[in-house]
Amino acid sequence: MVKVAVLGAAGGIGQPLSLLVKLNAKVDELALFDVVNVPGVGADLGHINSDSKTQSYLPSSKEDKTALAAALKGSDIVIIPAGVPRKPGMTRDDLFNINASICQGLAEGIAENSPKAFVLVISNPVNSTVPIFAETLKKKGVYDPSRLFGVTTLDIVRANTFISQLFPQDTKPSDFNVRVVGGHSGETIVPLYSLGSTKKYYGELNEEQKKALIHRVQFGGDEVVQAKNGAGSATLSMAYAGYRLAEQILKAVSGETGIVECTYLNLDSKIKGAAEAKTLVNGLDFFSLPVVLGKDGIEEVKYDILNEVNDDEKKLLQVAIDQLSKNIEKGVAFATK
Ligand code: APR
C-alpha cells in the first residue's frame, strides 16, 4: 500500500503533478492538500479510471490542522509545490518570508503525521527551503537526511533538451543524462557538460556556444516567464520534473536497485560519500549531486564527478558555492530563529 501526498495540489505545478502521480500504477492512494480549490481538483482527478484512490483535503480555517494531518497520515512520499508566486510590489525577501513560513508549517505537519515519509521539496527558493525543512524536522526530533530531497530535476531535463537542440540531426534529448550539480537557481546551477553522455558533443562547441548553453540552463526559467507574459512561471515542465524524481523513488521503494538521480541533499556524514562530497564543496551543508536511491532513501552520494570537472567548470562551481552558502544560511537562520 503506497500513499503519496501532494501539498499545494491545486496550484499550477500541483495539478499536473497530481495527474502524473494519479497515473502511476505503483500508487494506491493519492492525497491532495491545498488551502484553496482542492475539492474540485480531487473530484476531477477522481474520475480517472486508474486504480489509486483519490482524496482531497481542504482546511476549514487558518487554524485548522486536521486536514493537513489527514492528508499526511500514512504517506510514504510527500511532494511539496505549495507556495505563492511573486506579486507586483513584492520583494524577493517578502516572497522568501511567505514561502519560508509555508514550508515551516508543512514541515511541522510532516514531523507530526508522517515522520518517515520521503519529502520532495519544490517550493522556491529550493536552495533555502530545503534547509528549512531539515532544521524544522531536526527540531522535532524526526529528521532523516536520507529522505529529504530538493527537486532540481528540471535543471537536468532542460540541460538534456537544450544540448540536443544544438545537434538536431544526430541526437535526441533522451540520449543524454547531464549531471547538473549545485543548487536550483541562476548561477548556483552547474551543468557538467564536459562529462559522460554529452562530452563528445559539448567538445564540438566553440567557447561562445558553450557559454550560451550554460547560461540557458541556468536561466531557463526566465524563457518561460517571458513567454507566459505575466501569467506565471514554469508549471508543466516543473510538474514533469517533480514527477520524474517521485517515479524513481517509487521504483526504489518497491525494491528496484541501481537507480541514480541528482537531488539537492543535506551532506550529512551519515550518508555514504557525503563527508567526502562536503569537503569538495568547501564545507557546504547542502548541494545537488547524483545519489543512489534505495528502499530507505539516499544510500550513497556520487561525489567523484566533482574530481573530474574541467577548469571552466571549477570556476562555475566556485561561484555556485559562494552563492549557495548565503542561500543555505538564510534558510537555516529563518528556521532556527
Ligand atoms: N499549504 C498548502 N498549499 C498552499 C499553502 C499552504 N500553506 N499556501 C499556498 N498553497 C498553495 C496555493 O493555494 C496554490 O494552490 O500552493 C499552490 C501554489 O500554486 P501556484 O500559486 O500556482 O504556484 P506554482 O506556479 O504552482 O509554484 C509553486 O513551486 O516552483 C515553485 O516558485 C514556485 O514556490 C513556487 C511553488
Side-chain angles (χ1 to χ4, degrees):
M1 171 51 208
V2 174
K3 177 174 174 181
V4 178
V6 179
L7 313 182
I13 297 168
Q15 290 197 38
L17 174 62
S18 300
L19 170 62
L20 293 168
V21 174
K22 173 78 182 166
L23 300 179
N24 188 302
K26 289 193 167 72
V27 177
D28 300 294
E29 188 174 341
L30 173 61
L32 308 171
F33 175 82
D34 203 301
V35 292
V36 294
N37 301 340
V38 77
V41 178
D44 199 354
L45 285 179
H47 287 187
I48 293 175
N49 62 344
S50 68
D51 294 335
S52 56
K53 188 168 106 186
T54 310
Q55 300 270 24
S56 60
Y57 300 90
L58 178 74
S60 56
S61 67
K62 269 204 163 139
E63 292 68 42
D64 175 18
K65 290 192 176 170
T66 59
L68 179 61
L72 289 171
K73 273 266 177 319
S75 290
D76 303 285
I77 299 177
V78 182
I79 316 174
I80 305 153
V84 293
R86 190 139 62 117
K87 302 198 183 85
M90 221 187 228
T91 66
R92 274 186 195 281
D93 276 338
D94 294 338
L95 182 76
F96 169 79
N97 284 325
I98 296 171
N99 279 357
S101 304
I102 291 173
C103 288
Q104 197 174 32
L106 296 174
E108 284 165 2
I110 291 168
E112 282 156 29
N113 300 289
S114 53
K116 294 211 176 315
F118 287 72
V119 177
L120 278 62
V121 182
I122 293 174
S123 311
N124 268 321
V126 162
N127 294 354
S128 307
T129 53
V130 174
I132 292 174
F133 273 89
E135 290 300 327
T136 310
L137 294 169
K138 223 183 269 178
K139 255 196 216 165
K140 295 270 182 185
V142 296
Y143 182 45
D144 181 352
S146 58
R147 289 168 186 252
L148 178 61
F149 301 79
V151 181
T152 57
T153 319
L154 181 54
D155 307 320
I156 296 150
V157 166
R158 285 181 177 143
N160 296 339
T161 303
F162 296 166
I163 189 159
S164 175
Q165 286 173 350
L166 296 176
F167 299 94
Q169 310 297 338
D170 310 319
T171 73
K172 47 194 190 315
S174 61
D175 292 339
F176 300 118
N177 186 16
V178 183
R179 295 307 188 204
V180 183
V181 302
H184 182 56
S185 74
E187 289 176 318
T188 67
I189 300 167
V190 183
L192 300 177
Y193 275 121
S194 78
L195 307 178
S197 58
T198 47
K199 185 175 176 174
K200 171 177 174 288
Y201 292 100
Y202 189 61
E204 290 175 19
L205 300 177
N206 64 37
E207 288 312 304
E208 208 175 304
Q209 288 170 317
K210 284 180 181 169
K211 273 206 179 108
L213 176 61
I214 288 169
H215 186 274
R216 194 171 176 213
V217 175
Q218 293 181 325
F219 296 92
D222 294 350
E223 286 182 22
V224 182
V225 169
Q226 274 164 24
K228 288 196 175 179
N229 201 15
S233 50
T235 52
L236 301 172
S237 52
M238 185 61 238
Y240 163 74
Y243 174 70
R244 186 176 112 171
L245 181 60
E247 186 187 28
Q248 298 298 78
I249 289 174
L250 282 163
K251 285 184 193 162
V253 166
S254 63
E256 210 172 303
T257 54
I259 300 174
V260 177
E261 274 284 332
C262 280
T263 190
Y264 184 65
L265 82 155
N266 189 182
L267 296 175
D268 189 289
S269 56
K270 168 179 170 288
I271 302 171
K272 188 177 170 198
E276 291 86 343
K278 187 166 169 162
T279 311
L280 291 168
V281 297
N282 292 8
L284 285 185
D285 284 320
F286 292 84
F287 206 77
S288 184
L289 280 167
V291 299
V292 179
L293 296 172
K295 260 200 341 274
D296 296 317
I298 298 167
E299 289 183 342
E300 186 183 347
V301 185
K302 301 291 238 182
Y303 61 86
D304 276 352
I305 50 168
L306 293 176
N307 290 319
E308 295 164 19
V309 300
N310 65 25
D311 286 346
D312 289 340
E313 288 164 346
K314 269 188 199 145
K315 285 187 202 139
L316 293 173
L317 279 170
Q318 195 50 56
V319 173
I321 287 168
D322 292 345
Q323 290 191 17
L324 267 172
S325 137
K326 294 182 200 117
N327 299 162
I328 294 165
E329 176 50 37
K330 195 169 176 181
V332 171
F334 180 90
T336 51
K337 74 171 185 266

